[in-house]
């Protein structure tokens, strides 16, 4: 029950903060906070007149990985602590509540205000930083974050930030062919000399070589009888090439070319010539069928 009430409080004050800043979406909710590593500071006040405790402000911070521009317009990769949401209730503003809450966060995190990045601050928050902490000289950025002049010169790198920005770039494994050819690393994936493409199973390596490059005995007369080692042209020519094809199974059938002018094409017929003369083609009858249901085609003189 206590957690449910806390979730309701977080959602209520997050909605009030988004409304005060004129945002279209609520950026602070209990669900988003639970699924992240951000910190939320809540400021409460006891009202003795009605004997109830009120939540009067909140401050959300978190470490984000950013790419920021320094003074020389060079991109720097960093992961600083960022002010993600800051809100004090309208009835408690201009009374020192925001300064007390922000100072408490700085002491708790042991960080300086100019070493933090601010996510899309409002004009009130920019005035707050300028009034209480003397921050006014910004470094222009291409994103919504605002950083100040001493951010790149005096900010220390803590272990948490170093762990987020560290990228492991291990050297590439030495290839056995690198000393032989300078272009060994640019070989195709079908080459098995490279260590990264060598399979662990030698039997599978032989099978892949057979598939990619063919068997050594593929040009023998016995291998030519197998359709696996025949070219597409030999397979379509039929029995003259020594293989089985759908054209050679039925000696009375043939396939004419769609381009009669290409008489020398081997794909014109399975035999490379004109159709056999023993089965002349009979033209269809000139009588018109009674209906389309009774119509039949004539192929090789057979109805």
């Amino acid at each position: 029950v206590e957690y449910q009430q806390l979730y309701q409080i977080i959602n209520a004050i997050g909605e009030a903060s988004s409304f005060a800043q004129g945002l279209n979406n609520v950026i602070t909710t209990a669900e988003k906070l639970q699924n992240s590593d951000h910190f939320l500071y809540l400021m409460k006040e006891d009202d003795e007149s009605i004997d109830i405790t009120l939540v009067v402000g909140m401050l959300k911070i978190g470490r984000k990985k950013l790419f920021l521009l320094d003074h020389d317009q060079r991109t720097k990769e960093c992961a600083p602590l960022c002010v993600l949401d800051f809100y004090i209730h309208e009835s408690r503003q201009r009374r020192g509540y925001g300064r007390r809450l922000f100072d408490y966060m700085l002491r708790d995190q042991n960080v300086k205000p100019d070493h933090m990045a601010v996510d899309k601050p409002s004009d009130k928050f920019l005035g707050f930083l300028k009034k209480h902490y003397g921050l006014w000289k910004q470094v222009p950025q291409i994103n919504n974050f605002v950083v100040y002049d001493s951010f790149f010169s005096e900010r220390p790198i803590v272990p948490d930030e170093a762990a987020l920005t560290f990228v492991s770039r291990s050297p590439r494994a030495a290839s056995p062919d690198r000393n032989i050819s300078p272009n060994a690393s640019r070989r195709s994936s079908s080459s098995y000399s490279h260590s990264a493409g060598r399979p662990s199973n030698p039997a599978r390596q032989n099978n892949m070589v057979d598939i990619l490059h063919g068997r050594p005995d593929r040009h023998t007369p016995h291998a030519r009888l197998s359709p696996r080692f025949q070219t597409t042209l030999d397979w379509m020519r039929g029995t003259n090439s020594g293989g089985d094809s759908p054209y050679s199974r039925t000696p009375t059938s043939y396939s004419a070319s769609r381009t009669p002018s290409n008489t020398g094409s081997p794909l014109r017929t399975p035999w490379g010539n004109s159709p056999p003369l023993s089965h002349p083609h009979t033209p269809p009858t000139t009588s018109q069928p009674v209906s389309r249901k009774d119509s039949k085609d004539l192929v090789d003189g057979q109805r």
Side-chain angles (χ1 to χ4, degrees), residues 45-54:
E45 184 183 45
D46 296 331
D47 193 345
E48 298 178 355
S49 59
I50 56 178
D51 193 16
I52 196 173
T53 301
L54 304 176

Side-chain angles (χ1 to χ4, degrees), residues 17-252:
S17 174
S18 299
F19 179 78
Q21 300 180 51
L23 302 179
N24 296 328
N25 301 323
V26 180
I27 59 178
T28 300
T29 62
E31 182 179 0
K32 293 180 180 179
L33 189 66
Q34 188 177 9
N35 297 329
S36 66
D37 55 351
H38 299 159
F39 295 93
L40 182 66
Y41 294 88
L42 293 177
M43 190 176 190
K44 67 178 183 178
E45 184 183 45
D46 296 331
D47 193 345
E48 298 178 355
S49 59
I50 56 178
D51 193 16
I52 196 173
T53 301
L54 304 176
V55 177
V56 297
M58 66 101 175
L59 174 60
K60 185 175 73 170
I61 65 171
R63 196 172 295 276
K64 282 183 171 293
K65 187 175 181 180
L66 304 175
F67 293 91
L68 303 176
L69 299 178
D70 61 0
H71 304 86
D72 300 329
Q73 297 299 307
R74 292 177 300 183
T75 304
K76 298 291 185 180
E77 181 181 2
C78 55
L81 273 177
C82 304
V83 180
L84 304 177
D85 199 0
F86 185 37
Y87 171 71
I88 301 295
H89 194 267
E90 286 76 9
S91 62
R92 300 298 190 274
Q93 292 181 5
R94 302 185 182 276
R95 297 185 183 182
Y97 286 84
R99 175 68 183 271
R100 291 170 54 189
L101 178 59
F102 205 85
D103 287 344
Y104 180 85
M105 182 272 300
L106 295 178
R107 292 193 303 268
D108 184 60
Q109 296 293 331
N110 192 20
V111 64
K112 295 182 178 180
D114 53 345
H115 295 168
M116 301 183 68
V118 185
D119 184 11
K120 199 175 182 179
S122 61
D123 295 336
K124 287 185 177 181
F125 190 33
L126 292 177
F128 171 85
L129 295 176
K130 181 179 180 180
K131 175 182 178 181
H132 297 288
Y133 302 101
L135 300 178
W136 59 274
K137 191 175 182 180
Q138 303 179 11
V139 180
Q141 302 295 325
I142 58 176
N143 49 23
N144 295 327
F145 285 85
V146 173
V147 293
Y148 291 92
D149 189 35
S150 58
F151 180 87
F152 298 99
S153 58
E154 303 176 1
R155 186 177 63 90
I157 306 299
V158 297
D160 293 342
E161 180 177 358
L164 289 176
T165 56
F166 175 75
V167 178
S168 177
R169 293 182 175 90
S170 59
R172 297 180 61 183
S175 175
D177 296 338
R178 183 161 296 180
N179 297 330
I180 300 176
S181 174
N183 297 326
S185 60
R186 297 183 177 272
R187 293 182 179 179
S188 61
S189 59
S190 61
S191 176
Y192 287 88
S193 61
H194 198 276
S195 60
R198 183 179 294 112
S200 58
N201 189 0
R204 181 173 178 84
Q205 177 181 356
N206 297 332
N207 294 335
M208 290 300 296
V209 170
D210 293 343
I211 294 175
L212 294 175
H213 304 289
R215 294 177 57 87
D217 57 346
R218 60 177 299 184
H219 299 291
T220 59
H222 177 73
R224 290 181 62 85
L225 296 179
S226 176
R228 175 183 177 185
F229 303 113
Q230 288 184 357
T231 62
T232 305
L233 185 60
D234 293 339
W235 180 80
M236 296 189 69
R237 283 176 176 174
T239 57
N240 293 339
S241 298
D244 188 16
S245 70
Y247 302 104
S248 60
R249 296 171 187 171
T250 307
T252 59

